[in-house]
Amino acid sequence: MDHPVTIVQIAKESGVSIATVSRVINGTAPVSEATRERVNAAIQKYRYTPNAFARSLTNRQSMIIGIIMPDITNPYFSAMFREFEAAAHEANYSVFLCNTAFFSAAEKRSGPPKELEYFQMMLDKMVDGVLIVGGQADLLSVNPEYKAALQHLAANVPVVVLGNKIEGVDCPFIQRESGRGIFAAVSYLASLGHSRIAFVGGETGVGITEARQRTYYDALSVLGLSQDRALVATSDFYAPDGYRATRELLARGTKFTAILAINDNVALGAYRALADAGLAIPADVSVISCDQFFSAEYFVPRLTSINQHNEQFGRFVVNVLLGVIGGIKENVTLAVTPELVVRESCGGAFVQ
């Protein structure tokens, strides 16, 4: 197989210097029309494609954004990544995705080595900026090794973190989870006559769980409803966790007529646990989700959810990173109003 054509060969074919070929390709300086035509003719003849890495050495830009996410299989993150990628492409950036698998309990127990490896990889790849989504940044207490590595990364490349503010790390942090939308969900259930509303899913020590539980308790207080701690069963953010947490609620014997699941994944597990217990939705138990994914319409019955507009938020975050790459550092927030989407999974309360 023939070796790829190099810029040296294009320069020789055109009878110009390598620097002149570079000027034609990048448009960095004026050249005569005759010279431009000769260079472009040689490029077309040999179907020459400039090496992106070589161009990055000249321009000091790779036009690549690194994205570090904890679990691309989670619909919450996959929907957001789709918007990250679209926004990056619109700005002529490519994306380099790293999936840390931080959702794994074993991974959490063993610390953040994979995240630290990816931090170094971002520096090695000379990306123009890094977007870090969740993982250790979602925890209320972070590993000191992670904090030091993040500060090192932020000192060498523009970084934006979607997660909790970590003191001593100099980069923008965006925390979108304030519990908004949860009050609407609890209020809707209360309007149907539910007074004993359970909260299922999420993980203790994670910012999103704490924020949503806090608003859940506040809503119960404002509405004069039961704040029985036995109505709360934390686990994690996936369908098996929703199943396990709902089974735990049922095993306690605590009376409830509605379940507020932390997201659609957990709601799916709750559906299965209730069915296994011979309980029908919504005749026996109403179910509502705090965070709508793309599958709510296909539950049986269709799941009532809070649309947190994660896709819109994804585009916003990338634009913040692009601003930091361009030298703009400021605290920014996005005010998105969560939307209660009523479907079929909620009905009037009945005493069990």
Side-chain angles (χ1 to χ4, degrees), residues 185 189 194 196-201 216 231 242 245-247 249-250 256-262 266-267 269-271 273-274 279 281 285-290 303-304 345-346:
L189 291 171
H194 296 279
R196 294 188 62 78
I197 302 169
F199 185 98
V200 170
Y216 159 77
L231 289 171
T246 303
R247 295 273 293 181
L249 279 178
L250 294 167
F256 59 91
T257 60
I259 287 177
L260 179 62
I262 199 163
V266 169
Y271 265 50
L274 292 171
L279 298 172
I281 303 169
V285 180
S286 291
V287 179
I288 191 168
S289 165
C290 298
L303 178 62
T304 294
S345 63
C346 296

PDB file of all heavy atoms in Angstrom, residues 185 189 194 196-201 216 231 242 245-247 249-250 256-262 266-267 269-271 273-274 279 281 285-290 303-304 345-346:
ATOM      1  N   ALA A 185     -44.614  17.820  41.605  1.00  0.00           N
ATOM      2  CA  ALA A 185     -44.992  16.407  41.639  1.00  0.00           C
ATOM      3  C   ALA A 185     -45.749  16.064  42.914  1.00  0.00           C
ATOM      4  O   ALA A 185     -46.801  15.405  42.876  1.00  0.00           O
ATOM      5  CB  ALA A 185     -43.736  15.535  41.517  1.00  0.00           C
ATOM      6  N   LEU A 189     -49.806  14.972  43.381  1.00  0.00           N
ATOM      7  CA  LEU A 189     -50.275  13.794  44.101  1.00  0.00           C
ATOM      8  C   LEU A 189     -51.226  14.185  45.232  1.00  0.00           C
ATOM      9  O   LEU A 189     -52.254  13.528  45.457  1.00  0.00           O
ATOM     10  CB  LEU A 189     -49.091  12.996  44.649  1.00  0.00           C
ATOM     11  CG  LEU A 189     -48.219  12.293  43.598  1.00  0.00           C
ATOM     12  CD1 LEU A 189     -46.961  11.729  44.238  1.00  0.00           C
ATOM     13  CD2 LEU A 189     -49.004  11.190  42.900  1.00  0.00           C
ATOM     14  N   HIS A 194     -53.671  12.015  47.812  1.00  0.00           N
ATOM     15  CA  HIS A 194     -52.605  11.221  48.441  1.00  0.00           C
ATOM     16  C   HIS A 194     -51.994  11.988  49.611  1.00  0.00           C
ATOM     17  O   HIS A 194     -51.614  13.151  49.476  1.00  0.00           O
ATOM     18  CB  HIS A 194     -51.521  10.884  47.420  1.00  0.00           C
ATOM     19  CG  HIS A 194     -51.995  10.019  46.307  1.00  0.00           C
ATOM     20  ND1 HIS A 194     -52.127   8.652  46.412  1.00  0.00           N
ATOM     21  CD2 HIS A 194     -52.417  10.332  45.035  1.00  0.00           C
ATOM     22  CE1 HIS A 194     -52.574   8.154  45.262  1.00  0.00           C
ATOM     23  NE2 HIS A 194     -52.764   9.156  44.428  1.00  0.00           N
ATOM     24  N   ARG A 196     -49.905   9.956  51.968  1.00  0.00           N
ATOM     25  CA  ARG A 196     -48.718   9.167  52.331  1.00  0.00           C
ATOM     26  C   ARG A 196     -47.974   8.831  51.027  1.00  0.00           C
ATOM     27  O   ARG A 196     -48.311   7.878  50.315  1.00  0.00           O
ATOM     28  CB  ARG A 196     -49.093   7.913  53.113  1.00  0.00           C
ATOM     29  CG  ARG A 196     -49.689   8.263  54.483  1.00  0.00           C
ATOM     30  CD  ARG A 196     -49.881   7.028  55.340  1.00  0.00           C
ATOM     31  NE  ARG A 196     -48.639   6.330  55.658  1.00  0.00           N
ATOM     32  CZ  ARG A 196     -47.754   6.708  56.582  1.00  0.00           C
ATOM     33  NH1 ARG A 196     -47.972   7.819  57.302  1.00  0.00           N
ATOM     34  NH2 ARG A 196     -46.671   5.998  56.808  1.00  0.00           N
ATOM     35  N   ILE A 197     -46.993   9.676  50.740  1.00  0.00           N
ATOM     36  CA  ILE A 197     -46.254   9.610  49.476  1.00  0.00           C
ATOM     37  C   ILE A 197     -44.835   9.133  49.765  1.00  0.00           C
ATOM     38  O   ILE A 197     -44.094   9.781  50.517  1.00  0.00           O
ATOM     39  CB  ILE A 197     -46.222  10.987  48.798  1.00  0.00           C
ATOM     40  CG1 ILE A 197     -47.650  11.487  48.540  1.00  0.00           C
ATOM     41  CG2 ILE A 197     -45.420  10.934  47.502  1.00  0.00           C
ATOM     42  CD1 ILE A 197     -47.729  12.940  48.118  1.00  0.00           C
ATOM     43  N   ALA A 198     -44.458   8.021  49.185  1.00  0.00           N
ATOM     44  CA  ALA A 198     -43.116   7.469  49.399  1.00  0.00           C
ATOM     45  C   ALA A 198     -42.131   8.063  48.400  1.00  0.00           C
ATOM     46  O   ALA A 198     -42.508   8.490  47.308  1.00  0.00           O
ATOM     47  CB  ALA A 198     -43.153   5.953  49.268  1.00  0.00           C
ATOM     48  N   PHE A 199     -40.855   8.090  48.799  1.00  0.00           N
ATOM     49  CA  PHE A 199     -39.768   8.546  47.921  1.00  0.00           C
ATOM     50  C   PHE A 199     -38.820   7.373  47.720  1.00  0.00           C
ATOM     51  O   PHE A 199     -38.311   6.796  48.697  1.00  0.00           O
ATOM     52  CB  PHE A 199     -39.022   9.726  48.547  1.00  0.00           C
ATOM     53  CG  PHE A 199     -37.961  10.327  47.657  1.00  0.00           C
ATOM     54  CD1 PHE A 199     -38.226  11.469  46.915  1.00  0.00           C
ATOM     55  CD2 PHE A 199     -36.697   9.754  47.559  1.00  0.00           C
ATOM     56  CE1 PHE A 199     -37.263  12.028  46.090  1.00  0.00           C
ATOM     57  CE2 PHE A 199     -35.720  10.308  46.740  1.00  0.00           C
ATOM     58  CZ  PHE A 199     -36.013  11.442  46.006  1.00  0.00           C
ATOM     59  N   VAL A 200     -38.563   7.037  46.461  1.00  0.00           N
ATOM     60  CA  VAL A 200     -37.780   5.842  46.136  1.00  0.00           C
ATOM     61  C   VAL A 200     -36.605   6.193  45.236  1.00  0.00           C
ATOM     62  O   VAL A 200     -36.747   6.944  44.263  1.00  0.00           O
ATOM     63  CB  VAL A 200     -38.675   4.802  45.435  1.00  0.00           C
ATOM     64  CG1 VAL A 200     -37.844   3.664  44.866  1.00  0.00           C
ATOM     65  CG2 VAL A 200     -39.701   4.241  46.418  1.00  0.00           C
ATOM     66  N   GLY A 201     -35.417   5.623  45.550  1.00  0.00           N
ATOM     67  CA  GLY A 201     -34.256   5.744  44.671  1.00  0.00           C
ATOM     68  C   GLY A 201     -33.304   6.844  45.082  1.00  0.00           C
ATOM     69  O   GLY A 201     -33.502   7.560  46.066  1.00  0.00           O
ATOM     70  N   TYR A 216     -38.641  17.351  48.602  1.00  0.00           N
ATOM     71  CA  TYR A 216     -39.729  16.414  48.914  1.00  0.00           C
ATOM     72  C   TYR A 216     -40.233  16.647  50.340  1.00  0.00           C
ATOM     73  O   TYR A 216     -41.442  16.795  50.568  1.00  0.00           O
ATOM     74  CB  TYR A 216     -39.212  14.992  48.725  1.00  0.00           C
ATOM     75  CG  TYR A 216     -39.959  13.888  49.431  1.00  0.00           C
ATOM     76  CD1 TYR A 216     -41.173  13.405  48.942  1.00  0.00           C
ATOM     77  CD2 TYR A 216     -39.416  13.297  50.575  1.00  0.00           C
ATOM     78  CE1 TYR A 216     -41.836  12.364  49.591  1.00  0.00           C
ATOM     79  CE2 TYR A 216     -40.060  12.253  51.221  1.00  0.00           C
ATOM     80  CZ  TYR A 216     -41.276  11.792  50.730  1.00  0.00           C
ATOM     81  OH  TYR A 216     -41.924  10.765  51.375  1.00  0.00           O
ATOM     82  N   LEU A 231     -41.073   6.224  54.861  1.00  0.00           N
ATOM     83  CA  LEU A 231     -41.577   6.324  53.497  1.00  0.00           C
ATOM     84  C   LEU A 231     -40.457   6.544  52.477  1.00  0.00           C
ATOM     85  O   LEU A 231     -40.722   6.617  51.285  1.00  0.00           O
ATOM     86  CB  LEU A 231     -42.592   7.470  53.385  1.00  0.00           C
ATOM     87  CG  LEU A 231     -43.938   7.252  54.069  1.00  0.00           C
ATOM     88  CD1 LEU A 231     -44.754   8.541  54.071  1.00  0.00           C
ATOM     89  CD2 LEU A 231     -44.722   6.145  53.374  1.00  0.00           C
ATOM     90  N   GLY A 242     -34.630   0.618  41.890  1.00  0.00           N
ATOM     91  CA  GLY A 242     -36.028   0.947  42.138  1.00  0.00           C
ATOM     92  C   GLY A 242     -36.811  -0.265  42.587  1.00  0.00           C
ATOM     93  O   GLY A 242     -37.688  -0.177  43.455  1.00  0.00           O
ATOM     94  N   ALA A 245     -35.657  -1.039  46.250  1.00  0.00           N
ATOM     95  CA  ALA A 245     -36.151  -0.047  47.216  1.00  0.00           C
ATOM     96  C   ALA A 245     -37.659  -0.190  47.439  1.00  0.00           C
ATOM     97  O   ALA A 245     -38.142  -0.065  48.573  1.00  0.00           O
ATOM     98  CB  ALA A 245     -35.830   1.360  46.718  1.00  0.00           C
ATOM     99  N   THR A 246     -38.402  -0.462  46.377  1.00  0.00           N
ATOM    100  CA  THR A 246     -39.850  -0.620  46.520  1.00  0.00           C
ATOM    101  C   THR A 246     -40.175  -1.888  47.294  1.00  0.00           C
ATOM    102  O   THR A 246     -41.088  -1.903  48.143  1.00  0.00           O
ATOM    103  CB  THR A 246     -40.520  -0.649  45.133  1.00  0.00           C
ATOM    104  OG1 THR A 246     -40.177   0.546  44.429  1.00  0.00           O
ATOM    105  CG2 THR A 246     -42.035  -0.736  45.263  1.00  0.00           C
ATOM    106  N   ARG A 247     -39.425  -2.949  47.037  1.00  0.00           N
ATOM    107  CA  ARG A 247     -39.604  -4.181  47.820  1.00  0.00           C
ATOM    108  C   ARG A 247     -39.321  -3.931  49.298  1.00  0.00           C
ATOM    109  O   ARG A 247     -40.005  -4.461  50.175  1.00  0.00           O
ATOM    110  CB  ARG A 247     -38.654  -5.256  47.289  1.00  0.00           C
ATOM    111  CG  ARG A 247     -38.947  -5.713  45.877  1.00  0.00           C
ATOM    112  CD  ARG A 247     -39.946  -6.830  45.818  1.00  0.00           C
ATOM    113  NE  ARG A 247     -39.412  -8.059  46.398  1.00  0.00           N
ATOM    114  CZ  ARG A 247     -40.094  -9.212  46.458  1.00  0.00           C
ATOM    115  NH1 ARG A 247     -41.328  -9.264  45.979  1.00  0.00           N
ATOM    116  NH2 ARG A 247     -39.553 -10.288  46.982  1.00  0.00           N
ATOM    117  N   LEU A 249     -39.734  -1.041  50.867  1.00  0.00           N
ATOM    118  CA  LEU A 249     -40.898  -0.313  51.394  1.00  0.00           C
ATOM    119  C   LEU A 249     -42.038  -1.260  51.727  1.00  0.00           C
ATOM    120  O   LEU A 249     -42.657  -1.167  52.802  1.00  0.00           O
ATOM    121  CB  LEU A 249     -41.389   0.705  50.364  1.00  0.00           C
ATOM    122  CG  LEU A 249     -40.694   2.056  50.244  1.00  0.00           C
ATOM    123  CD1 LEU A 249     -41.337   2.855  49.123  1.00  0.00           C
ATOM    124  CD2 LEU A 249     -40.753   2.832  51.549  1.00  0.00           C
ATOM    125  N   LEU A 250     -42.328  -2.153  50.809  1.00  0.00           N
ATOM    126  CA  LEU A 250     -43.423  -3.098  51.026  1.00  0.00           C
ATOM    127  C   LEU A 250     -43.137  -4.015  52.214  1.00  0.00           C
ATOM    128  O   LEU A 250     -44.043  -4.329  52.998  1.00  0.00           O
ATOM    129  CB  LEU A 250     -43.645  -3.921  49.757  1.00  0.00           C
ATOM    130  CG  LEU A 250     -44.156  -3.137  48.532  1.00  0.00           C
ATOM    131  CD1 LEU A 250     -44.043  -3.982  47.270  1.00  0.00           C
ATOM    132  CD2 LEU A 250     -45.585  -2.680  48.756  1.00  0.00           C
ATOM    133  N   PHE A 256     -48.586   3.362  52.149  1.00  0.00           N
ATOM    134  CA  PHE A 256     -48.410   4.471  51.213  1.00  0.00           C
ATOM    135  C   PHE A 256     -49.357   4.246  50.036  1.00  0.00           C
ATOM    136  O   PHE A 256     -49.725   3.103  49.715  1.00  0.00           O
ATOM    137  CB  PHE A 256     -46.959   4.574  50.731  1.00  0.00           C
ATOM    138  CG  PHE A 256     -46.446   3.351  50.034  1.00  0.00           C
ATOM    139  CD1 PHE A 256     -46.567   3.211  48.650  1.00  0.00           C
ATOM    140  CD2 PHE A 256     -45.849   2.311  50.747  1.00  0.00           C
ATOM    141  CE1 PHE A 256     -46.093   2.079  47.999  1.00  0.00           C
ATOM    142  CE2 PHE A 256     -45.380   1.177  50.099  1.00  0.00           C
ATOM    143  CZ  PHE A 256     -45.499   1.058  48.719  1.00  0.00           C
ATOM    144  N   THR A 257     -49.755   5.335  49.401  1.00  0.00           N
ATOM    145  CA  THR A 257     -50.647   5.231  48.242  1.00  0.00           C
ATOM    146  C   THR A 257     -50.002   5.785  46.982  1.00  0.00           C
ATOM    147  O   THR A 257     -50.606   5.710  45.906  1.00  0.00           O
ATOM    148  CB  THR A 257     -51.969   5.981  48.500  1.00  0.00           C
ATOM    149  OG1 THR A 257     -51.677   7.368  48.752  1.00  0.00           O
ATOM    150  CG2 THR A 257     -52.711   5.385  49.691  1.00  0.00           C
ATOM    151  N   ALA A 258     -48.819   6.343  47.102  1.00  0.00           N
ATOM    152  CA  ALA A 258     -48.125   6.899  45.934  1.00  0.00           C
ATOM    153  C   ALA A 258     -46.624   6.782  46.118  1.00  0.00           C
ATOM    154  O   ALA A 258     -46.121   6.794  47.256  1.00  0.00           O
ATOM    155  CB  ALA A 258     -48.514   8.357  45.707  1.00  0.00           C
ATOM    156  N   ILE A 259     -45.917   6.666  44.991  1.00  0.00           N
ATOM    157  CA  ILE A 259     -44.452   6.610  44.998  1.00  0.00           C
ATOM    158  C   ILE A 259     -43.921   7.724  44.106  1.00  0.00           C
ATOM    159  O   ILE A 259     -44.358   7.887  42.964  1.00  0.00           O
ATOM    160  CB  ILE A 259     -43.943   5.256  44.471  1.00  0.00           C
ATOM    161  CG1 ILE A 259     -44.194   4.158  45.497  1.00  0.00           C
ATOM    162  CG2 ILE A 259     -42.458   5.329  44.126  1.00  0.00           C
ATOM    163  CD1 ILE A 259     -43.769   2.773  45.014  1.00  0.00           C
ATOM    164  N   LEU A 260     -42.955   8.473  44.642  1.00  0.00           N
ATOM    165  CA  LEU A 260     -42.207   9.467  43.877  1.00  0.00           C
ATOM    166  C   LEU A 260     -40.824   8.881  43.631  1.00  0.00           C
ATOM    167  O   LEU A 260     -40.024   8.737  44.559  1.00  0.00           O
ATOM    168  CB  LEU A 260     -42.110  10.778  44.673  1.00  0.00           C
ATOM    169  CG  LEU A 260     -41.344  11.933  44.037  1.00  0.00           C
ATOM    170  CD1 LEU A 260     -42.011  12.376  42.740  1.00  0.00           C
ATOM    171  CD2 LEU A 260     -41.253  13.106  45.012  1.00  0.00           C
ATOM    172  N   ALA A 261     -40.553   8.476  42.388  1.00  0.00           N
ATOM    173  CA  ALA A 261     -39.271   7.862  42.026  1.00  0.00           C
ATOM    174  C   ALA A 261     -38.297   8.935  41.574  1.00  0.00           C
ATOM    175  O   ALA A 261     -38.692   9.906  40.918  1.00  0.00           O
ATOM    176  CB  ALA A 261     -39.475   6.838  40.915  1.00  0.00           C
ATOM    177  N   ILE A 262     -37.024   8.767  41.879  1.00  0.00           N
ATOM    178  CA  ILE A 262     -36.058   9.816  41.579  1.00  0.00           C
ATOM    179  C   ILE A 262     -35.840   9.995  40.081  1.00  0.00           C
ATOM    180  O   ILE A 262     -35.465  11.067  39.634  1.00  0.00           O
ATOM    181  CB  ILE A 262     -34.712   9.564  42.296  1.00  0.00           C
ATOM    182  CG1 ILE A 262     -33.900  10.864  42.362  1.00  0.00           C
ATOM    183  CG2 ILE A 262     -33.929   8.449  41.621  1.00  0.00           C
ATOM    184  CD1 ILE A 262     -32.786  10.866  43.363  1.00  0.00           C
ATOM    185  N   VAL A 266     -35.648   4.270  37.912  1.00  0.00           N
ATOM    186  CA  VAL A 266     -36.093   3.772  39.215  1.00  0.00           C
ATOM    187  C   VAL A 266     -37.592   3.470  39.191  1.00  0.00           C
ATOM    188  O   VAL A 266     -38.054   2.488  39.772  1.00  0.00           O
ATOM    189  CB  VAL A 266     -35.742   4.784  40.319  1.00  0.00           C
ATOM    190  CG1 VAL A 266     -36.414   4.430  41.637  1.00  0.00           C
ATOM    191  CG2 VAL A 266     -34.223   4.845  40.504  1.00  0.00           C
ATOM    192  N   ALA A 267     -38.354   4.320  38.498  1.00  0.00           N
ATOM    193  CA  ALA A 267     -39.795   4.085  38.381  1.00  0.00           C
ATOM    194  C   ALA A 267     -40.076   2.742  37.710  1.00  0.00           C
ATOM    195  O   ALA A 267     -41.007   2.020  38.098  1.00  0.00           O
ATOM    196  CB  ALA A 267     -40.452   5.219  37.603  1.00  0.00           C
ATOM    197  N   GLY A 269     -38.270   0.030  37.869  1.00  0.00           N
ATOM    198  CA  GLY A 269     -38.087  -1.000  38.891  1.00  0.00           C
ATOM    199  C   GLY A 269     -39.248  -1.042  39.868  1.00  0.00           C
ATOM    200  O   GLY A 269     -39.673  -2.123  40.303  1.00  0.00           O
ATOM    201  N   ALA A 270     -39.760   0.141  40.222  1.00  0.00           N
ATOM    202  CA  ALA A 270     -40.915   0.203  41.129  1.00  0.00           C
ATOM    203  C   ALA A 270     -42.133  -0.460  40.494  1.00  0.00           C
ATOM    204  O   ALA A 270     -42.894  -1.172  41.169  1.00  0.00           O
ATOM    205  CB  ALA A 270     -41.220   1.653  41.480  1.00  0.00           C
ATOM    206  N   TYR A 271     -42.328  -0.239  39.205  1.00  0.00           N
ATOM    207  CA  TYR A 271     -43.442  -0.879  38.485  1.00  0.00           C
ATOM    208  C   TYR A 271     -43.386  -2.397  38.662  1.00  0.00           C
ATOM    209  O   TYR A 271     -44.388  -3.052  38.954  1.00  0.00           O
ATOM    210  CB  TYR A 271     -43.347  -0.557  36.992  1.00  0.00           C
ATOM    211  CG  TYR A 271     -44.147   0.626  36.510  1.00  0.00           C
ATOM    212  CD1 TYR A 271     -44.079   1.864  37.146  1.00  0.00           C
ATOM    213  CD2 TYR A 271     -44.959   0.514  35.382  1.00  0.00           C
ATOM    214  CE1 TYR A 271     -44.802   2.957  36.679  1.00  0.00           C
ATOM    215  CE2 TYR A 271     -45.683   1.604  34.897  1.00  0.00           C
ATOM    216  CZ  TYR A 271     -45.600   2.818  35.541  1.00  0.00           C
ATOM    217  OH  TYR A 271     -46.310   3.884  35.076  1.00  0.00           O
ATOM    218  N   ALA A 273     -41.775  -4.209  40.944  1.00  0.00           N
ATOM    219  CA  ALA A 273     -41.946  -4.628  42.341  1.00  0.00           C
ATOM    220  C   ALA A 273     -43.411  -4.592  42.754  1.00  0.00           C
ATOM    221  O   ALA A 273     -43.894  -5.490  43.456  1.00  0.00           O
ATOM    222  CB  ALA A 273     -41.111  -3.731  43.255  1.00  0.00           C
ATOM    223  N   LEU A 274     -44.120  -3.554  42.327  1.00  0.00           N
ATOM    224  CA  LEU A 274     -45.544  -3.448  42.659  1.00  0.00           C
ATOM    225  C   LEU A 274     -46.328  -4.573  41.977  1.00  0.00           C
ATOM    226  O   LEU A 274     -47.224  -5.179  42.576  1.00  0.00           O
ATOM    227  CB  LEU A 274     -46.085  -2.082  42.233  1.00  0.00           C
ATOM    228  CG  LEU A 274     -45.536  -0.877  43.018  1.00  0.00           C
ATOM    229  CD1 LEU A 274     -45.978   0.434  42.367  1.00  0.00           C
ATOM    230  CD2 LEU A 274     -45.991  -0.923  44.481  1.00  0.00           C
ATOM    231  N   LEU A 279     -49.999  -5.513  43.139  1.00  0.00           N
ATOM    232  CA  LEU A 279     -50.569  -4.163  43.217  1.00  0.00           C
ATOM    233  C   LEU A 279     -50.628  -3.554  41.824  1.00  0.00           C
ATOM    234  O   LEU A 279     -49.678  -3.658  41.046  1.00  0.00           O
ATOM    235  CB  LEU A 279     -49.727  -3.289  44.144  1.00  0.00           C
ATOM    236  CG  LEU A 279     -49.658  -3.753  45.605  1.00  0.00           C
ATOM    237  CD1 LEU A 279     -48.641  -2.933  46.392  1.00  0.00           C
ATOM    238  CD2 LEU A 279     -51.035  -3.662  46.263  1.00  0.00           C
ATOM    239  N   ILE A 281     -51.169  -0.289  39.117  1.00  0.00           N
ATOM    240  CA  ILE A 281     -50.911   1.140  38.930  1.00  0.00           C
ATOM    241  C   ILE A 281     -51.929   1.673  37.924  1.00  0.00           C
ATOM    242  O   ILE A 281     -52.057   1.117  36.835  1.00  0.00           O
ATOM    243  CB  ILE A 281     -49.483   1.386  38.390  1.00  0.00           C
ATOM    244  CG1 ILE A 281     -48.436   0.785  39.334  1.00  0.00           C
ATOM    245  CG2 ILE A 281     -49.217   2.872  38.188  1.00  0.00           C
ATOM    246  CD1 ILE A 281     -47.042   0.756  38.724  1.00  0.00           C
ATOM    247  N   VAL A 285     -51.615   1.902  43.691  1.00  0.00           N
ATOM    248  CA  VAL A 285     -50.509   2.825  43.984  1.00  0.00           C
ATOM    249  C   VAL A 285     -50.279   3.712  42.765  1.00  0.00           C
ATOM    250  O   VAL A 285     -50.189   3.206  41.643  1.00  0.00           O
ATOM    251  CB  VAL A 285     -49.205   2.073  44.323  1.00  0.00           C
ATOM    252  CG1 VAL A 285     -48.074   3.064  44.612  1.00  0.00           C
ATOM    253  CG2 VAL A 285     -49.400   1.131  45.498  1.00  0.00           C
ATOM    254  N   SER A 286     -50.184   5.018  42.989  1.00  0.00           N
ATOM    255  CA  SER A 286     -49.809   5.945  41.919  1.00  0.00           C
ATOM    256  C   SER A 286     -48.291   6.075  41.886  1.00  0.00           C
ATOM    257  O   SER A 286     -47.633   5.999  42.936  1.00  0.00           O
ATOM    258  CB  SER A 286     -50.446   7.321  42.141  1.00  0.00           C
ATOM    259  OG  SER A 286     -51.842   7.259  41.965  1.00  0.00           O
ATOM    260  N   VAL A 287     -47.734   6.271  40.685  1.00  0.00           N
ATOM    261  CA  VAL A 287     -46.279   6.413  40.541  1.00  0.00           C
ATOM    262  C   VAL A 287     -45.991   7.635  39.681  1.00  0.00           C
ATOM    263  O   VAL A 287     -46.634   7.834  38.638  1.00  0.00           O
ATOM    264  CB  VAL A 287     -45.649   5.156  39.899  1.00  0.00           C
ATOM    265  CG1 VAL A 287     -44.134   5.350  39.751  1.00  0.00           C
ATOM    266  CG2 VAL A 287     -45.944   3.913  40.724  1.00  0.00           C
ATOM    267  N   ILE A 288     -45.030   8.429  40.121  1.00  0.00           N
ATOM    268  CA  ILE A 288     -44.598   9.601  39.367  1.00  0.00           C
ATOM    269  C   ILE A 288     -43.073   9.674  39.428  1.00  0.00           C
ATOM    270  O   ILE A 288     -42.465   9.256  40.423  1.00  0.00           O
ATOM    271  CB  ILE A 288     -45.247  10.888  39.939  1.00  0.00           C
ATOM    272  CG1 ILE A 288     -45.031  12.084  39.023  1.00  0.00           C
ATOM    273  CG2 ILE A 288     -44.770  11.183  41.342  1.00  0.00           C
ATOM    274  CD1 ILE A 288     -45.892  13.286  39.403  1.00  0.00           C
ATOM    275  N   SER A 289     -42.447  10.167  38.378  1.00  0.00           N
ATOM    276  CA  SER A 289     -40.983  10.248  38.312  1.00  0.00           C
ATOM    277  C   SER A 289     -40.519  11.691  38.397  1.00  0.00           C
ATOM    278  O   SER A 289     -41.129  12.584  37.808  1.00  0.00           O
ATOM    279  CB  SER A 289     -40.489   9.618  37.005  1.00  0.00           C
ATOM    280  OG  SER A 289     -39.147   9.976  36.740  1.00  0.00           O
ATOM    281  N   CYS A 290     -39.404  11.906  39.097  1.00  0.00           N
ATOM    282  CA  CYS A 290     -38.809  13.246  39.227  1.00  0.00           C
ATOM    283  C   CYS A 290     -38.051  13.679  37.980  1.00  0.00           C
ATOM    284  O   CYS A 290     -37.731  14.863  37.835  1.00  0.00           O
ATOM    285  CB  CYS A 290     -37.819  13.284  40.393  1.00  0.00           C
ATOM    286  SG  CYS A 290     -38.515  12.943  42.006  1.00  0.00           S
ATOM    287  N   LEU A 303     -46.087   6.648  32.093  1.00  0.00           N
ATOM    288  CA  LEU A 303     -45.590   7.210  33.350  1.00  0.00           C
ATOM    289  C   LEU A 303     -45.710   8.729  33.410  1.00  0.00           C
ATOM    290  O   LEU A 303     -45.233   9.435  32.510  1.00  0.00           O
ATOM    291  CB  LEU A 303     -44.116   6.809  33.528  1.00  0.00           C
ATOM    292  CG  LEU A 303     -43.385   7.328  34.759  1.00  0.00           C
ATOM    293  CD1 LEU A 303     -44.031   6.807  36.045  1.00  0.00           C
ATOM    294  CD2 LEU A 303     -41.908   6.941  34.701  1.00  0.00           C
ATOM    295  N   THR A 304     -46.328   9.225  34.467  1.00  0.00           N
ATOM    296  CA  THR A 304     -46.347  10.663  34.727  1.00  0.00           C
ATOM    297  C   THR A 304     -44.973  11.077  35.244  1.00  0.00           C
ATOM    298  O   THR A 304     -44.436  10.447  36.156  1.00  0.00           O
ATOM    299  CB  THR A 304     -47.434  11.013  35.762  1.00  0.00           C
ATOM    300  OG1 THR A 304     -48.716  10.733  35.197  1.00  0.00           O
ATOM    301  CG2 THR A 304     -47.372  12.480  36.154  1.00  0.00           C
ATOM    302  N   SER A 345     -50.231   7.127  35.056  1.00  0.00           N
ATOM    303  CA  SER A 345     -49.780   6.343  36.216  1.00  0.00           C
ATOM    304  C   SER A 345     -50.249   6.884  37.551  1.00  0.00           C
ATOM    305  O   SER A 345     -49.879   6.329  38.597  1.00  0.00           O
ATOM    306  CB  SER A 345     -48.248   6.229  36.213  1.00  0.00           C
ATOM    307  OG  SER A 345     -47.664   7.521  36.345  1.00  0.00           O
ATOM    308  N   CYS A 346     -51.026   7.940  37.554  1.00  0.00           N
ATOM    309  CA  CYS A 346     -51.508   8.523  38.810  1.00  0.00           C
ATOM    310  C   CYS A 346     -53.026   8.573  38.826  1.00  0.00           C
ATOM    311  O   CYS A 346     -53.660   8.947  37.833  1.00  0.00           O
ATOM    312  CB  CYS A 346     -50.946   9.935  39.020  1.00  0.00           C
ATOM    313  SG  CYS A 346     -49.147   9.969  39.200  1.00  0.00           S
TER     314      CYS A 346
END
